[in-house]
Amino acid sequence: MTTVTTPTVCISGVGLTRFGRIEGSMPLALMAEAADLALADAGKTRAEIDGLIVGYATTMPHLMLASAFAEYYGLFPAHAHAAHAGGATGLLMLGLARHLIAAGAANEVLVVAGENRLSGQSTDATTSTLSQVGHPTLELPTGATVPAFYGLVAARYLHETGCDERDLAELAVLMRKHASLHPGAHLRELIDVDAVLRSRPIATPLKLLDCCPISDGAAAFLISGGQAAARSIAITGWGEANTHQHLSFAPEDVATGARLSSAQALKRAGRGRSEIGYLGIYDSFTATLALLLEATGFAERGCSGRDAAAGRFGRAGEHPLNLHGGLLSYGHCGVAGGMALAAEAVTQLRGEADMRQANMPRAAFIHADGGVLSAHASLVLEAPQ
Amino acid sequence: MSLAASTQGVFVERCAQCGRDDLLPRGFCARCGSKQVAVHLRSGRGIVWSVTTLHRPARTSASEPATIALVALAEGLRVMVRATDGLSIGAEVEVASSGLGEPPRLVGAPG
């Protein structure tokens, strides 16, 4: 019996810089560093790249960032554009690269993002820029910033689930434990629940260690069609959803977008959750991670913290999660923060994660959100059969 | 359209076709697309959906924390307002705005 199958599109190369303070770094140079790593990893040359998608950089606002990077790096792609969807951008770009190739519109697509978000501007400037996700007349006049929106989301989560701040703290502890094994992570010093609870309040119930740091860094992927090479990882499922921009307009179940997006991705991949051996879930804040784990169906409602404490998301657990340390501890430099989730998934699926290696996962599920759980993108990645 | 700050109620744009209320002046209904929308003053009674105390609020020269609440109005609209400390999720409150699209504020004591 013959079956019509969608073409297999693969991630053939990955590049991930260390995240942290990279003094003197600039967005284009950071992107170039990640692109070099991805090209070398794939064994490809600049001349072979016919598609380019670049994520926005808040330290380099630009009408045509993809063209600027192509010129800087030495690419002449047929297709080039810059993508803007908040934290969902990284996974969204991977999905778009896949579609370009599946449609026959490109053969080799470079996806890249990088930002000197830590050393390039003050914390206040970053906070102010990111506050664009708040409504100018209905929300920002209260003085709210992104942490406030997530504080509201977190407080509601605790109220609805009966969880407490210790449950959220377990997630921060786990991410730091994972990051301690990654030489490229921004924050590697082990912490415990009490350290999280003692850290200074940001937007109740969120404290400093419930929040991801601001980092410099970059990531790049080469997405390829045609014959899969030995270390290629297939993109077998994708999903997206967009429910709102501003928290005031979110659905009653604020993580509705994650439910929709994850269901699509798993359905397209033809995989059940029990077949997923590795998770990359966006963890801008501990509360984000809890909500997304539960909305994507990898934890029961209100059980994320408890499950983390019980080892379910550890290297040897049922669903190893963010083994590079997530945004919370590997770091968050903007769009590449979400891409790092996918980079670790690829490394894990290839069996190349050294001391962080989980027990040979065959399929990974990755999810990221942008705004205040506003835009969502999910992917399923699989190792060659 | 603007009224004095002491007016009680929230100004919304109401759709004559599907009945949806929205806080934003769009000139059309975001649910059904109808352009038959008009300004209405509706009750500002609602329930606190969530509340947080932000330790470094924007737009202020003061260094004190700001308490911010998201209030669900009786008919499912959400309004973000500054609040005093001690407000709980589930508390019954009242908000008001001075005109369509103007930032609303908390006016009633918690119920």
Side-chain angles (χ1 to χ4, degrees), chain A residues 123-124 131 135-145 147-149 151-156 159-160 200-205 247-254, chain B residues 20 22-26 47-60 66-70 72 76-82 89-90 101-104:
Chain A
T123 304
D124 282 350
S131 289
H135 195 279
T137 56
L138 296 177
E139 296 178 342
L140 297 183
T142 61
T145 55
F149 303 133
L152 287 165
V153 164
R156 182 71 190 181
H159 174 82
E160 287 184 352
R200 69 178 168 88
I202 301 294
T204 59
L247 178 56
S248 297
F249 293 87
E252 184 56 36
D253 170 10
V254 294
Chain B
R20 182 176 183 272
D22 203 290
L23 288 159
L24 283 181
R26 288 187 178 85
I47 294 174
V48 175
W49 185 84
S50 191
V51 61
T52 189
T53 297
L54 177 63
H55 282 247
R56 280 182 67 171
R59 303 192 178 195
T60 177
T67 297
I68 296 165
L70 197 51
L77 294 184
R78 290 210 202 103
V79 172
M80 196 171 287
V81 294
R82 284 287 286 265
I89 295 177
E102 294 295 314

Side-chain angles (χ1 to χ4, degrees), chain A:
Chain A
M1 181 175 96
T2 56
T3 49
V4 176
T5 54
T6 52
T8 301
V9 181
C10 292
I11 295 173
S12 59
V14 175
L16 182 68
T17 70
R18 72 174 178 91
F19 283 13
R21 180 173 287 278
I22 308 175
E23 213 60 67
S25 60
M26 299 291 281
L28 296 180
L30 286 167
M31 291 179 205
E33 187 185 332
D36 279 348
L37 291 168
L39 284 183
D41 188 45
K44 307 259 180 176
T45 64
R46 280 166 168 74
E48 297 174 76
I49 295 171
D50 59 357
L52 171 67
I53 313 178
V54 176
Y56 64 89
T58 64
T59 53
M60 186 176 168
H62 200 290
L63 294 181
M64 299 179 68
L65 190 58
S67 296
F69 177 73
E71 178 186 82
Y72 175 84
Y73 192 62
L75 302 174
F76 302 91
H79 177 89
H81 86 274
H84 300 72
T89 305
L91 297 193
L92 189 70
M93 292 195 292
L94 287 173
L96 286 171
R98 182 246 162 237
H99 303 331
L100 281 172
I101 292 171
N107 294 302
E108 302 283 349
V109 181
L110 179 67
V111 169
V112 62
E115 189 170 337
N116 54 334
R117 190 174 276 198
L118 175 59
S119 56
Q121 64 190 14
S122 68
T123 304
D124 282 350
T126 295
T127 303
S128 174
T129 299
L130 297 180
S131 289
Q132 286 173 47
V133 303
H135 195 279
T137 56
L138 296 177
E139 296 178 342
L140 297 183
T142 61
T145 55
V146 167
F149 303 133
Y150 277 95
L152 287 165
V153 164
R156 182 71 190 181
Y157 170 81
L158 295 184
H159 174 82
E160 287 184 352
T161 59
C163 292
D164 61 26
E165 292 180 42
R166 300 191 71 91
D167 294 303
L168 294 179
E170 292 286 358
L171 296 168
V173 168
L174 184 65
M175 290 300 99
R176 187 62 65 89
K177 180 179 171 189
H178 292 170
S180 71
L181 295 180
H182 200 308
H186 188 167
L187 302 172
R188 302 184 63 199
E189 191 183 305
L190 292 176
I191 57 177
D192 59 16
V193 167
D194 287 333
V196 180
L197 297 179
R198 276 194 319 265
S199 62
R200 69 178 168 88
I202 301 294
T204 59
L206 300 172
K207 301 155 291 299
L208 184 65
L209 292 178
D210 287 297
C211 308
C212 62
I214 295 170
S215 322
D216 302 322
F221 293 89
L222 195 66
I223 319 297
S224 307
Q227 284 282 66
R231 289 161 65 249
S232 289
I233 298 300
I235 301 173
T236 58
W238 69 95
E240 301 165 66
N242 290 279
T243 52
H244 61 281
Q245 166 72 86
H246 306 107
L247 178 56
S248 297
F249 293 87
E252 184 56 36
D253 170 10
V254 294
T256 296
R259 283 184 213 289
L260 298 171
S261 175
S262 57
Q264 277 181 23
L266 290 163
K267 184 176 177 187
R268 283 191 171 115
R271 292 289 177 205
R273 288 174 179 81
S274 60
E275 299 175 83
I276 300 296
Y278 181 81
L279 294 176
I281 306 290
Y282 205 76
D283 58 329
S284 46
F285 300 88
T286 49
T288 320
L289 182 54
L291 274 159
L292 292 179
L293 275 168
E294 295 164 23
T296 58
F298 288 97
E300 297 293 322
R301 187 110 169 91
C303 295
S304 298
R306 181 197 75 177
D307 287 358
R312 235 184 111 235
F313 300 125
R315 192 175 63 81
E318 181 192 344
H319 282 125
L321 167 69
N322 296 356
L323 292 181
H324 65 309
L327 275 67
L328 283 168
S329 286
Y330 191 85
H332 186 27
C333 55
V335 173
M339 292 167 73
L341 299 174
E344 180 67 9
V346 169
T347 302
Q348 292 282 341
L349 290 168
R350 286 168 164 176
E352 297 174 357
D354 303 323
M355 290 168 55
R356 306 185 313 279
Q357 183 63 50
N359 185 26
M360 283 317 293
R362 308 305 304 165
F365 172 82
I366 315 173
H367 186 88
D369 81 288
V372 192
L373 298 164
S374 318
H376 295 263
S378 314
L379 293 175
V380 177
L381 305 181
E382 300 194 31
Q385 295 306 309

Side-chain angles (χ1 to χ4, degrees), chain B residues 10-89:
Chain B
V10 177
F11 285 91
V12 294
E13 198 168 65
R14 177 167 292 168
C15 176
Q17 189 143 314
C18 76
R20 182 176 183 272
D21 280 352
D22 203 290
L23 288 159
L24 283 181
R26 288 187 178 85
F28 61 89
C29 174
R31 180 160 68 194
C32 73
S34 169
K35 293 209 165 73
Q36 293 181 297
V37 294
V39 179
H40 277 259
L41 180 64
R42 53 159 297 142
S43 164
R45 284 196 304 276
I47 294 174
V48 175
W49 185 84
S50 191
V51 61
T52 189
T53 297
L54 177 63
H55 282 247
R56 280 182 67 171
R59 303 192 178 195
T60 177
S61 51
S63 54
E64 298 122 39
T67 297
I68 296 165
L70 197 51
V71 175
L73 300 183
E75 283 78 358
L77 294 184
R78 290 210 202 103
V79 172
M80 196 171 287
V81 294
R82 284 287 286 265
T84 49
D85 233 0
L87 194 61
S88 302
I89 295 177

